[in-house]
Amino acid sequence: MAHLTGPAPRLRLRRLILLAVAWCAVTGGVFSGCKGLFTPAIPEPPSGAPIVNHYETVDSTLATMALAIGAKDQGRTAWLNAFDQNDYHQEFDDRDLAAFKSACQCAGPEDWTFPQEQIFYQDFISVRPEEYTAVFSPLDWNPDPQAGSTETLVHRGYKVVAHSPNGTDSLIIATGTADLTFHLTDGKWLIKHWADRLDSTVGVNPTDTWQLSFGRRRLESTQ
Amino acid sequence: MVRLRRFAFLFALLVVGTLLTTSPARAQEPGSVRYAFSDTTLLRDTLGLRFPRLFPLSDSLQILPDTLRALSIRYLWSLERLVTLADSLGVPVDSVGPVLQREQAYVLNASHGTHNSFSYNTGYTVGQTQSAWTNTTEYGLQHGPVFMHNSTTVELDRYRVGALTSVRQSRLSATELGWRFSPDFSLGGRVGLERLNNRDPTAARSYGETTNEYQISMRSRQRPVHGMTSDINLFSGLLDINNVNLEKRGVSGNLGAHLRYSPTPWLAHELNGAMDGNLSRTRAPGELTRENTRDYSQNVRGTLSLFQTSAIGLKGSFNFRHVQVETPSDSGSIHRVLTDNWGGESTVRLRRDNDRYVDLGLKTATAKQATVLGIRSRNSHRDDSFTATGRYLFWGWAMDGHFSNGFGDSKFPARSDSGGYGEFQHARSADATFSRQLGPRILARVTGSISLTSYRYSLIGKYTTPPVSRDQWRQSWRADANYSRNERFSTGVALDVSKNKLINIPSASTGSNNNTRSYRAEWHWTCRLLEGLTATQRNTLSADYLEYPFSAENNRLTLDYAAVTTLNAIMNPRLSINVTHNSRRSPAGNYTLYPDGLAYFARSDETGNAALTAAIAYTPSPAIAFSVEPAYFSSDRSAAANGVVAPQRANRSLSVSAGANINWSISKNGLLRGDIHRAYRADRTTTYSSGLPQSTPRSQIDFWTGSLQLSWHI
């Protein structure tokens, strides 16, 4: 019957103490003895001043994107957050697409959505090692239609310039125009559709081979 | 290394402590506190079925309670019988049904004399855009040592897209004729024929697939020594495959073996092995020359159990799989695809009883998967992990703890033409739960957990865009308390606090690092208002603070208020009504820095959802039941534009589904089962432009869905 009545209270207390010691030892090992097991890594400080993300209006979204390109690596999140992750599509200029297909002897991308944009950004900021400045400006010859409450279309010209460290030389690495459709999502105006047009004054095969449109740069990033 | 030694020492201490408290002969104490927070709705059943000891059994068998319950209903066996059969057959409890069905059909198990069996199943299902008609016959004949078996299935599927309809037809037939020379050996032949035709109006042309197999069959069973049984089956013959990708002709073989060795109650070893393969002459359709190809697969699995009912027990398993498939490519060359998997795991259980034990486990697994670039660029993944799970019931406290530490090493060498990357993952977690009965009516439980998963990446070749090295950290605790006044009324509250951190390591990505602090409070109650009328309500309140350490301007707060109320009425044994109302409101916004240097919350958007659903079921007899399920859903969203919150979008939808179910036994051999429903749904969306509503036209859809199955067994 002894095994049915259980151990004596003193034995039970001894076992409890032993278990408590074992538990404290193990938890001590886990939480302090093996310091670092649950301690996350310390991140590197952001390179350059952090980008303040503003997407409350169409113009603030474009300004944030321009700042993002200027910050290069550090602006990756700010640039990508300007796009509607679920619904973003980019449309190429037919001339850019034909020239790219001819050059690469390939079919070219069937569509361009958010995942491709992530790859493009990383590739674009590596085009030149110098610092970049970007600007999106309204087009006098193509004014914007009346803005909608949740969706709006704007026409913008864009230019990205790479500057030498002493500021004496510069190189245009992206130029063109874009018809941008913005959608209001969670209080943010995000790009839903980007119809890219190359700069006609530069042409599809520019004399300065750096002066390509964003669309052509996106196509080049797939190689 | 010093850390490892310290860890080993601490574990040795824990093992010794547990061993000292082990006394196998000790009677088991009731552990009801442990199951106090289980989902007791699983125990209810309108068919009058009972599931005694569901939670302790599922806990002991390490299977989900609803799975164990479903197995009991599916095979119409009590839980006790299910567990007894699993013990007797030496298989996991979820394998009992398939093993018994397989053994029933095994030719070496057939009894003497002449037996005929025939079963026919036909089923027709119709949906909104597709319909399917399936016919299956199974015929078995045994006359003395001669046996014959045929299984034929014909399936016709139709899919409608717009005005176009595509048709898919498949026909399978397998026939085997053999001679049973002894209760342990048979020899015969079998023919397997498969046809698949697909007609798609949007495709350039129809396509099909033909497979013919002619094989000799050999089945044998051995009992070489006491406690050991084995089966060896061999099928080998000719193969002929034609489809849009290849034409393959040759010889094929399949060798399968199963061994079970259990000479004593404390040892059980099981081994399953299978080898498939074919040697063929293969070509792509349209090519003139044929190439030699070899496809084969090897699959070995084994388990070992030692001292399962003792104070110290061991359970281990291993697996190995290798597959090679060769197919002709368009260029005429042979494309080889290799797949490899192997791994093993072992668990040592130091056990006093079911409420006092420690499990220590090690696991390793490796997988290599082919990529489109060929066998030299296979993706690979290796996992190694250690787990410790402990449980102790002491002075009314039920304590559960879990710790795991795992490493994953992956290689993706061909993400692009320029290369790929490697991923090293280190995941560790610990959690503990304490439960206790506080007085006769109150149950309390406290849970705490912490976890950290690290991802680190290395480049292979010149790949330019590997994922960002990062850490994901989480810490949480939750306190629950349940109060049961009597069987008519119970209520409970819970508070849940958690903190999550996303930490990108490189400076280029740290701008998006963020921390989320979440606070959730919950109150729920259940009250039986009248005999047959029960009301249940669950209210939740939560706040998620999203903070960006390097970009405070993006900080965001999301609030959420939700309530779900259910009325469940059983008017009489034939009529039941269930009504549920669900409402949820979620305002959210950002923080704006004002000139006084403080950041103030500004609401930027708000979402409100509400749903009202009902389910009415009337069952005049066990053979037929009628049901009606209406549902109304509304969603409103407003957003801030230029600093003013205004309506943005509103959705309303109504859906109704009504129909009947039938489950009718036709004499003692037949069963007719099926259902037919008519579904209706209407939606309307209103969007706001400059504050003015613009409604879209109402969209409506209604269609029939149904299925009918007739089974006949002789």
Side-chain angles (χ1 to χ4, degrees), chain A residues 85 88 113-120:
Chain A
Q85 296 194 17
Y88 165 61
T113 57
F114 190 75
Q116 287 90 0
E117 191 68 23
Q118 291 176 296
I119 296 169
F120 155 70

Side-chain angles (χ1 to χ4, degrees), chain B residues 576-579 612-618 626-632 654-661 677-681:
Chain B
S576 67
I577 302 173
N578 218 327
V579 181
L612 181 65
T613 59
I616 303 162
Y618 177 61
F626 300 95
S627 64
V628 181
E629 295 180 8
Y632 178 74
L654 172 69
S655 62
V656 180
S657 173
N661 291 56
H677 286 85
R678 179 79 171 174
Y680 168 82
R681 183 183 169 90

